[in-house]
RNA sequence: GCCCCUGUAGCUCAGCGGAUAGAGCAACUGCCUUCUAAGCAGCAGGUCGCAGGUUCGAGUCCUGCCGGGGGCGCCA
């Protein structure tokens, strides 16, 4: 019925933008080829065009007159939408119900819900999670893991080739210390026992041993000497030393797998490319940087300097490529990694989902890599930084005793609390099913809490709030989804027939319009590496649905035609919520 | 000293240079004989840290100041 304009490119907003732009190309002088019409959602209409005022200013004409000229040039407007000049020079755009309904039908019939892939498909490396071998993961790793995983999902859905890289801390001086301690205290070696059942307690043993070793290292100079020697043995490939290292790494990986399983993230064994992977490249990188004069010797160390990076004493602060003792630190590993990712993995984009405290480090690494030619102008590298995790008191998140909170314990707690709530709300539910749901809800709550706030800020981790399951929490979205499923279950499986010649009620209209915004949101998430935009969108969608749910009965709709349309809206909303939650890494159970 | 992040309702946070700054929690008032009340509707709550500037238009951009957090040579 709508002919040409009913062929949607992505969203109604994008269609409106296309229409306005083509009208502008006729109405405006050719000196304004690509002026932005600034299409935005509006409270006064469906969309508003803001760009005419600034363009009129530059042209020296009356903005209302210009807006009027543009509106006149818009083709086929009545069938699709009405455009009217308002205020100082806005154009208010009100879509026809027909246009909105035909868009609903289109999305429902598309297995990607009408979401296009990105215009250019890129190879994107995402470096995230980065736990340390022989140490327990903490809430900082949780943030990196959750944010990075969501970005991986969104970018994959957008059609990019995503290469996940879990840059494990599996190498370096601390391993000399750890292995030496192990050798000197064989009887407590936790890697000797390899019963797979007690994985998490083994990591605790490993963790405990790490701390004991660290304590000795900090207090006993002779142990420091022996540890240094052990590092040399490790790097030289001494068999006994390597055996111990392998055992420790294997133990830790079992633990990581357990955490990742519980979190339901995409990371697998194949994504684990730790620091040790780059060990064999370090000599070459150091030699290369020196040969290219990117790095120079200073106080015995091989350093890269930057004009604008100085310490408190006013002297330049280097990125140390090789220590005075000949060893390598993490800077060299990061340089080897960035080169590997650009040259071997052929990355167009490299994202580092890492704590914001490492901002300066990455600034130096990126700059050094550019100077050395490891990445050229076409490669985008970005430190996707996030703030610290704080407790409800606003101080660093620790236990009462001041220890780092164990991640597994935290997740177990979340799941357990969710289980209690679920059993309370559904006394008829079996224990097994309740636990299954509890995992989806509990983990979803933890993830949503993190993903719903902008990542650059410090993040207050408040288990009580996220698991109260009230208001803006993960459970709210899951609940909305489950309610829709409950409605849909009452209808036969035959797909609803959408008719576009039906007048829409305001709640239907708002819902249909909002559900149409998903592709634009996903594009924004890609653009900014900010999954919280998706979280906010889904919350708004769930809330808009719930209002619709209260005001527009589906089962007992006034007519069969309206019922069909409402079923279609329900189905599209459910699919959108499910997809959106999935892209955040959160499950969408059919019942709650 | 320099650099980065941050300051929006009592608390936790959204807010792309656009019209009257929004949610959630907490408080108060209603709403379950009707598709799941983990919900909905309403009410109240704000000199958007302060001061300048740019702009037709600033919570949003720029500068300065104040407050909070973080970082700054051989740890990661």
């Amino acid at each position: 019925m709508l002919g040409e304009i009913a062929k949607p490119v992505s969203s109604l907003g994008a269609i409106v933008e296309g229409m306005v732009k083509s009208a502008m190309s006729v109405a405006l002088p050719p000196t304004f080829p690509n002026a932005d019409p600034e299409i935005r959602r509006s409270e006064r209409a469906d969309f508003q065009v803001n760009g005419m005022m600034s363009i009129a200013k530059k042209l020296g004409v009356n903005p209302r007159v210009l807006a009027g000229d543009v509106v006149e040039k818009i083709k086929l407007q009545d069938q699709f939408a009405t455009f009217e000049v308002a205020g100082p020079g806005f154009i208010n755009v009100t879509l026809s119900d027909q246009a909105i309904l035909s868009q609903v039908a289109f999305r429902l019939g598309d297995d990607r819900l009408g979401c296009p892939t990105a215009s250019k498909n890129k190879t994107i490396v995402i470096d995230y999670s980065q736990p340390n071998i022989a140490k327990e993961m903490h809430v900082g790793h949780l943030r990196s893991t959750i944010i990075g995983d969501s970005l991986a999902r969104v970018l994959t859905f957008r059609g990019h080739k995503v290469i996940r890289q879990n840059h494990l801390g599996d190498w370096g001086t601390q391993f000399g210390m750890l292995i030496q301690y192990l050798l000197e205290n064989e009887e407590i070696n936790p890697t000797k026992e390899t019963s797979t059942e007690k994985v998490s307690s083994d990591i605790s043993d490993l963790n405990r041993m790490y701390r004991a070793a660290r304590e000795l290292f900090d207090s006993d100079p002779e142990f420091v000497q022996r540890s240094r020697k052990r590092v040399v043995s490790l790097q030289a490939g001494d068999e006994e030393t390597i055996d111990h290292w392998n055992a420790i790494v294997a133990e830790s990986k079992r633990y990581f797998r357990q955490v990742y399983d519980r979190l339901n993230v995409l990371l697998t064994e194949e994504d684990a490319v730790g620091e040790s992977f780059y060990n064999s490249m370090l000599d070459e990188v150091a030699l290369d940087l020196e040969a290219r004069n990117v790095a120079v010797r200073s106080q015995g160390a091989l350093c890269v300097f930057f004009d604008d990076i100085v310490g408190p004493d006013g002297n330049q602060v280097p990125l140390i490529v090789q220590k005075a003792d000949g060893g390598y630190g993490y800077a060299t590993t990061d340089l080897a990694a960035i080169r590997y990712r650009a040259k071997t993995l052929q990355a167009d984009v490299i994202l580092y989902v890492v704590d914001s405290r490492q901002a300066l480090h990455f600034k130096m690494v990126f700059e050094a890599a550019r100077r050395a030619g490891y990445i050229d102008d076409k490669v985008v590298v970005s430190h996707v930084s996030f703030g610290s995790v704080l407790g409800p008191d606003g101080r660093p998140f620790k236990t009462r005793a001041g220890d780092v909170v164990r991640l597994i314990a935290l997740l177990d707690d979340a799941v357990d609390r969710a289980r209690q709530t679920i059993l309370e709300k559904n006394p008829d539910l079996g224990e097994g099913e309740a636990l299954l749901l509890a995992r989806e809800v509990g983990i979803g709550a933890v993830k949503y809490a993190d993903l719903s706030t902008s990542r650059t800020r410090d993040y207050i981790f408040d288990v009580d709030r996220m698991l109260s399951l009230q208001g803006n929490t993960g459970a709210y979205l899951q609940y909305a989804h489950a309610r829709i499923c409950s409605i849909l279950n009452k209808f036969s499986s035959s797909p609803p027939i959408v008719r576009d010649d039906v007048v829409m009620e305001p709640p239907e209209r708002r819902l249909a319009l909002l559900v149409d915004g998903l592709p634009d949101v996903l594009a924004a998430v890609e653009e900014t590496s900010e999954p919280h935009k998706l979280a906010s969108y889904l919350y708004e969608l769930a809330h808009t649905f719930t209002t619709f749910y209260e005001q527009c009965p589906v089962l007992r709709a006034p007519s069969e035609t309206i019922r069909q349309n409402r079923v279609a809206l329900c189905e599209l909303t459910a699919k959108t919520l499910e997809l959106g939650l999935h892209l955040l890494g959160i499950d969408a159970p059919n019942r709650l």
Side-chain angles (χ1 to χ4, degrees), chain A residues 352-394:
Chain A
Y352 292 82
V353 186
V354 180
D355 193 316
S356 63
R357 284 178 296 202
Q358 295 196 33
L360 182 61
H361 168 70
F362 280 114
K363 186 182 176 190
M364 293 194 289
V365 168
F366 295 166
E367 173 62 24
R370 293 228 185 263
R371 287 187 198 169
Y374 295 168
I375 45 175
D376 62 32
D377 293 345
K378 293 189 194 98
V379 179
V380 173
V381 290
S382 172
H383 176 201
V384 180
S385 67
F386 56 85
S388 305
V389 181
L390 309 176
D393 56 359

Side-chain angles (χ1 to χ4, degrees), chain A residues 11-21 39 47 80 83 93 95:
Chain A
S11 64
L12 291 164
I15 295 168
V16 169
E17 179 167 358
M19 293 172 79
V20 174
K21 269 187 168 171
I39 312 282
F47 295 94
F80 184 77
F83 296 75
V93 185
L95 298 162

Side-chain angles (χ1 to χ4, degrees), chain A residues 122-131 141 143-168 260 265-268 270-274 278 334 337-338 340-342 345-354 362 366 379-386 451 455 525-531 583:
Chain A
K122 300 170 184 166
T123 296
I124 303 178
V125 169
I126 310 182
D127 182 334
Y128 69 104
S129 198
Q130 309 114 350
H141 297 121
R143 278 211 98 176
S144 176
T145 306
I146 290 172
I147 294 168
D149 204 58
S150 176
L151 289 175
R153 289 166 188 266
V154 171
L155 295 173
T156 301
F157 182 72
R158 293 270 298 156
H160 300 293
K161 179 186 174 189
V162 171
I163 303 176
R164 300 182 298 267
Q165 295 278 282
N166 192 357
H167 196 74
L168 299 174
Y260 294 148
V265 292
L266 302 173
L267 286 170
T268 65
E270 290 79 59
D271 304 322
V273 182
Y278 304 100
D334 282 341
I338 205 171
Y340 171 78
R341 289 165 182 179
L345 298 180
Q346 293 283 298
D348 300 303
V349 178
I350 309 174
L351 303 179
Y352 292 82
V353 186
V354 180
F362 280 114
F366 295 166
V379 179
V380 173
V381 290
S382 172
H383 176 201
V384 180
S385 67
F386 56 85
L451 291 169
R455 59 175 166 72
V525 172
E526 173 175 339
E527 173 69 26
T528 60
S529 300
E530 289 182 329
L583 294 178

Side-chain angles (χ1 to χ4, degrees), chain A residues 322-543:
Chain A
Q322 188 175 30
K323 296 187 285 184
D325 67 3
Y328 299 109
Y330 66 111
T332 325
T333 308
D334 282 341
L335 284 165
I338 205 171
R339 188 178 69 159
Y340 171 78
R341 289 165 182 179
K343 304 288 185 200
T344 306
L345 298 180
Q346 293 283 298
D348 300 303
V349 178
I350 309 174
L351 303 179
Y352 292 82
V353 186
V354 180
D355 193 316
S356 63
R357 284 178 296 202
Q358 295 196 33
L360 182 61
H361 168 70
F362 280 114
K363 186 182 176 190
M364 293 194 289
V365 168
F366 295 166
E367 173 62 24
R370 293 228 185 263
R371 287 187 198 169
Y374 295 168
I375 45 175
D376 62 32
D377 293 345
K378 293 189 194 98
V379 179
V380 173
V381 290
S382 172
H383 176 201
V384 180
S385 67
F386 56 85
S388 305
V389 181
L390 309 176
D393 56 359
R395 303 218 313 263
F397 192 69
K398 298 276 171 64
T399 63
R400 284 182 205 86
D403 296 327
V404 172
V405 178
R406 293 182 54 219
L407 202 51
I408 287 279
L410 200 67
L411 299 179
D412 285 348
D413 185 38
V415 172
D416 194 57
R417 290 212 222 177
R419 192 179 56 86
Q420 284 171 32
T421 307
I422 287 165
L423 284 172
E424 199 179 294
K425 303 274 182 191
N426 310 281
D428 56 316
L429 217 57
E431 278 286 337
E433 202 180 342
L435 182 62
L436 237 57
L437 277 178
R439 292 189 58 171
E440 301 185 323
V441 172
I443 298 300
V446 171
K447 286 186 174 182
Y448 183 81
D450 203 329
L451 291 169
S452 60
T453 187
S454 64
R455 59 175 166 72
T456 48
R457 299 171 67 113
D458 285 347
Y459 166 53
I460 295 191
F461 193 96
D462 189 337
V463 185
D464 291 330
R465 175 175 301 143
M466 67 181 82
L467 288 170
S468 72
L469 308 183
Q470 311 252 312
N472 189 356
T473 62
Y476 180 87
L477 308 191
Q478 292 171 323
Y479 184 62
H481 176 261
R483 286 169 112 180
I484 305 175
C485 289
S486 174
I487 294 174
L488 294 174
N489 281 339
K490 294 180 170 63
F491 290 90
S492 65
S493 54
S494 62
I497 296 153
V498 182
R499 291 189 52 160
D500 65 7
D501 56 350
V502 181
V503 176
M504 300 181 91
E505 301 282 332
E508 296 176 290
R509 228 172 166 285
R510 283 202 294 140
L511 179 59
L513 216 44
L514 188 58
V515 93
D516 190 60
L518 180 68
D520 299 330
V521 171
L522 296 182
V525 172
E526 173 175 339
E527 173 69 26
T528 60
S529 300
E530 289 182 329
H532 86 276
K533 290 181 192 298
L534 176 56
S536 300
Y537 167 78
L538 292 176
Y539 177 77
E540 196 186 346
L541 180 60
H543 185 252

Side-chain angles (χ1 to χ4, degrees), chain A residues 198-214:
Chain A
K198 52 191 283 287
V199 176
S200 71
S201 70
D202 283 347
I203 188 69
S204 288
D205 290 347
L206 220 47
N207 202 45
R208 214 167 10 254
M209 196 172 54
Y210 184 94
R211 294 163 91 174
R214 167 62 65 183

Side-chain angles (χ1 to χ4, degrees), chain A residues 35 62 101 164 186 289 313 317 343 361 374 431 541 563:
Chain A
N62 181 318
L101 284 168
R164 300 182 298 267
E186 282 280 5
L289 289 170
D313 56 5
V317 182
K343 304 288 185 200
H361 168 70
Y374 295 168
E431 278 286 337
L541 180 60
R563 176 164 39 227

Side-chain angles (χ1 to χ4, degrees), chain A residues 261-280:
Chain A
D261 279 352
R262 200 159 308 198
L263 271 177
N264 187 24
V265 292
L266 302 173
L267 286 170
T268 65
E269 179 68 29
E270 290 79 59
D271 304 322
V273 182
E275 294 174 337
S276 61
F277 176 79
Y278 304 100
N279 188 42
S280 62

